[in-house]
Each structure stands twice: as structure tokens, then as C-alpha cells.
Amino acid sequence: MKELHTFGWYAARISPHLPKEAFQPVPSRLFGGLAYLIVIISGFLTIGLLDLNPWICLLISFVLGASFAGMGLLGHEILHGTVVRKSWLRDLCGAIAFFPLTTGPKLWRKWHNMTHHIHTQNDEKDPDSWPTLERMLQSRFLRWVYRLPLFLRSFAEFSFLTIEFTLHSTRMFVHFIKQFKPEAKPSVWLQLLLPWATWISLLFVMGPGKWFFAFLLPLLIGNFIVMAYISTNHRLNPLVPVNDPLANSLSVTVPKWVDVLHFNFSYHTEHHLFPGISSKYYPLVKEQIKRMWPERYHEMPMGQALKALWKTPRIYYKEKDLIDPHAGHVYGTLGHGFNPSDIRYRKIKLQKDAPISPRFVSKQTSR
């Protein structure tokens, strides 16, 4: 990767080529949220009021799970202020959109907008970045996990996607709640507890069986869809000292109808360059990036990105590589020797006195 630039550096060069309306909110995006809301309410009523065959309930669960994910992806856009600008309306619409995924708007803006976007792929400051080798060595659990074969770890990591967004959101609440001003904390707590109180109350109203199909299974499906995107956003990219979206972000490609359902969430590099404009205009941003810096831009089909995640570890080594410490396998990252069509590693030998140590001796063999 060549010299790094901030997202503002790129944005200043692309902005003159975008239409003026791209910098205005797009409230018509709320119609998509309304459609999802109608589907979710209809699904709840259908499962709750009728005695259906379990296979039909399973089908409805998948529709509900996809709707949970679609609502969450719209909530992400709403809370960036690109749909409506009034703060109270933005937070209200964002709270409704994130309600199925049990994440509050104040927490999301603190965690995602104000921290992740400002410090993307910064090992010390980005709450969504994956650990370095040095951090892994401080965790007994991670040291144990990375003694497992890559196949088992990948299977566990992909299974974990079904609960990861919800668990990470809870972890972010614990991390950030102390940073809110005292007068803001009650509302942050309310935005955490109200969704869970609602969904747990629904358990007693519906009963365990129907609740499983109406909420629990859709929550797992929604988590997986959302995390399938989030896991590809940055996890194949290097850690960087400068917040350069063309270095630290990946856009994936999906069928056009999926982009419609998911509000162009696949355009992630574009989003990090212009988080303040509606994703409706990200195809125009993509055109300009590929015109000005085609050699810097990273994109690949969603399936290929997920396959690459399956085949590589999630521990960073010297910022630009990913390492499987127990096996001594080092993989490049995007922009630093990683080829998703031909995934290879170089073998390095551990020092004899340190079964898993940050001090390595290079051994020039590869696969």
C-alpha cells in the first residue's frame, strides 16, 4: 500500500464530482423501514395467533430474521443522520430500527459513529478491531483457542456470527456507559432494557415454542446476516496508523436486489469515506474512487470474502499480517500480499524456548 491518507483527504477530492442532492437527507428511505416493520408485525401475529405447522413457522422465522437484519442496516444509516436530520426524530427512528437487535441509538452513535469511524483499524482505539499477537498472548482463553486447528476455529467463528452482534453490543454498553454524562445515562439504560423487557414479555405471552420461531431464531438469523457484512468490512484489511478507508476497508459485491433490501450496505469503503451522505449515492462514490485510485480500492464478491475469512486467522502480526501463532503460519492482508483467489501463507519458526511467543524467526517456506 502506498502513502496513507485520511478519509477527509479522499472526500475533498471526490465531493466536487457528486451532485448537490447527495449531501441532503433522504427521508424516503423510511418507507423501506415501514415495509420491514409491517412484515415483522405480521409475522408475530401469524405465529402468535395461529397454530401452524413447524415448517411454516420456520419459513416465517427466516423472513423475520431477514427483516430484523434489514431494519438494523437501515438503523445504521438513520443514525448517521442521512435519512432525517432532527436529532429527536433520528434517534426515535433509529431506536425502532435497532429494536429487534436490542441496540440503543445513543450507544450506537457513541460506539460506531464517534469511535469506530474515527479510529477505524486502530489497534488501541477501534472497539471493533481484532487483537494483535501481543494482546492475544495476554489472554489465556485466546491462547487456548488458537491451539485448535484452523478448521475448528473457523467453524466456531462462523457459528458465533449468529450471536456476535448482540453480544458485542452488550460488551460495548459495559465499555461505554461510564463515558456518558450522568444526565444521559438513564436514557442509555432505558434503550438497553426496553427492547429486552419487550422480547422477554413476548415469551410469556406467546409461550416458549412460538417465541422461539417469532423472536429467538429470527434474532440468530438477523445477527448472522448483519455480521456477515460486518465481518468482511475490515477483518481482511491491515491495522493502520492513519484512518485511510482505502487501506482499512473492503466493499463487497452482492446481487442488485440484495443491495436494495440492505440499503447498499455492501458499499463499505464508500461509507467510510462519506458516512454523512445516504448510501443511495454510494455507487456514484464508487465510480469516482475507481476512476482516481483503482489500485488502492478493495472489493470482492461477498461469498469470496467470507471464504477468505474462513481460511485465515483473526490475529494481527506486525499490523500488516494475520498469524496462526500455534502453527506459525503468516498470511498477508489486503494491500499487503493477500490474494483471495490464491490464499497462501509463509511458515515461520517459533523460538524453542517459547511455544507461542511474539518473537519469531522467519523461515522462508510458503504454501
Side-chain angles (χ1 to χ4, degrees):
M1 177 61 68
K2 300 179 181 180
E3 180 184 358
L4 299 177
H5 301 289
T6 66
F7 60 92
W9 186 91
Y10 292 108
R13 286 154 178 79
I14 294 175
S15 295
H17 302 280
L18 299 178
K20 291 182 180 180
E21 57 268 26
F23 299 93
Q24 300 299 317
V26 184
S28 61
R29 307 291 264 180
L30 293 177
F31 287 113
L34 178 61
Y36 277 127
L37 190 60
I38 292 172
V39 170
I40 290 172
I41 294 173
S42 299
F44 285 168
L45 292 175
T46 302
I47 292 175
L49 298 178
L50 302 178
D51 292 321
L52 300 172
N53 183 288
W55 290 105
I56 297 177
C57 289
L58 183 62
L59 178 61
I60 296 173
S61 290
F62 276 94
V63 174
L64 286 171
S67 299
F68 281 17
M71 288 279 282
L73 297 176
L74 176 61
H76 164 260
E77 183 167 341
I78 290 171
L79 291 174
H80 273 292
T82 65
V83 178
V84 291
R85 289 281 167 83
K86 290 185 177 180
S87 59
W88 70 268
L89 184 58
R90 175 202 62 204
D91 281 4
L92 175 61
C93 293
I96 294 171
F98 267 122
F99 205 87
L101 296 177
T102 67
T103 300
K106 289 185 182 296
L107 172 64
W108 178 258
R109 287 191 291 108
K110 177 70 171 178
W111 151 30
H112 179 78
N113 297 17
M114 300 169 63
T115 310
H116 168 67
H117 266 271
I118 302 301
H119 304 292
T120 308
Q121 287 295 88
N122 181 298
D123 172 45
E124 298 295 332
K125 298 179 180 180
D126 183 2
D128 297 338
S129 68
W130 278 69
T132 61
L133 179 62
E134 289 74 19
R135 285 170 56 192
M136 186 216 77
L137 293 172
Q138 298 173 7
S139 169
R140 180 177 298 179
F141 174 73
L142 287 178
R143 292 201 306 270
W144 175 80
V145 166
Y146 272 84
R147 289 182 180 275
L148 299 175
L150 178 60
F151 174 83
L152 289 180
R153 292 202 310 270
S154 296
F155 179 81
E157 287 171 3
F158 271 65
S159 300
F160 186 65
L161 296 182
T162 60
I163 58 174
E164 186 173 356
F165 185 85
T166 299
L167 287 183
H168 189 54
S169 179
T170 303
R171 178 173 171 265
M172 291 298 97
F173 177 87
V174 173
H175 177 76
F176 283 110
I177 185 62
K178 57 182 175 290
Q179 297 184 21
F180 285 94
K181 294 180 179 180
E183 60 269 23
K185 287 184 180 180
S187 63
V188 180
W189 272 101
L190 180 64
Q191 290 169 9
L192 170 74
L193 297 176
L194 184 59
W196 280 114
T198 301
W199 301 127
I200 292 173
S201 297
L202 193 66
L203 167 63
F204 293 98
V205 173
M206 284 188 164
K210 291 187 174 184
W211 184 79
F212 171 80
F213 287 111
F215 174 69
L216 184 57
L217 183 57
L219 179 64
L220 300 179
I221 295 168
N223 263 262
F224 186 87
I225 294 172
V226 169
M227 289 307 305
Y229 279 113
I230 293 176
S231 63
T232 61
N233 291 163
H234 309 288
R235 295 181 184 180
L236 294 170
N237 298 82
L239 299 174
V240 290
V242 175
N243 186 1
D244 184 327
L246 269 64
N248 63 26
S249 302
L250 169 69
S251 290
V252 294
T253 56
V254 297
K256 180 60 179 177
W257 63 270
V258 176
D259 269 334
V260 172
L261 291 177
H262 294 161
F263 305 95
N264 282 351
F265 194 82
S266 63
Y267 292 80
H268 204 71
T269 299
E270 295 78 2
H271 171 63
H272 272 260
L273 284 177
F274 288 96
I277 73 172
S278 172
S279 60
K280 174 182 177 180
Y281 298 100
Y282 286 163
L284 300 181
V285 176
K286 182 175 184 174
E287 289 179 8
Q288 296 303 320
I289 297 173
K290 297 184 78 170
R291 180 178 68 85
M292 298 180 187
W293 310 284
E295 76 287 353
R296 290 176 175 256
Y297 183 67
H298 300 299
E299 68 172 334
M300 68 180 76
M302 169 69 90
Q304 186 180 42
L306 290 172
K307 183 178 179 181
L309 286 173
W310 180 279
K311 291 186 173 184
T312 55
R314 302 271 69 80
I315 299 296
Y316 282 98
Y317 175 57
K318 296 183 178 179
E319 297 185 337
K320 298 178 181 179
D321 290 316
L322 296 165
I323 187 167
D324 188 337
H326 188 63
H329 296 167
V330 175
Y331 301 76
T333 55
L334 290 172
H336 298 280
F338 181 75
N339 181 359
S341 300
D342 185 20
I343 298 175
R344 295 174 177 266
Y345 61 78
R346 67 182 187 273
K347 180 77 173 179
I348 57 177
K349 185 178 180 181
L350 305 177
Q351 287 191 346
K352 293 181 179 180
D353 62 341
I356 298 181
S357 166
R359 296 170 296 170
F360 290 96
V361 178
S362 179
K363 184 178 181 181
Q364 298 301 319
T365 61
S366 63
R367 191 182 74 178

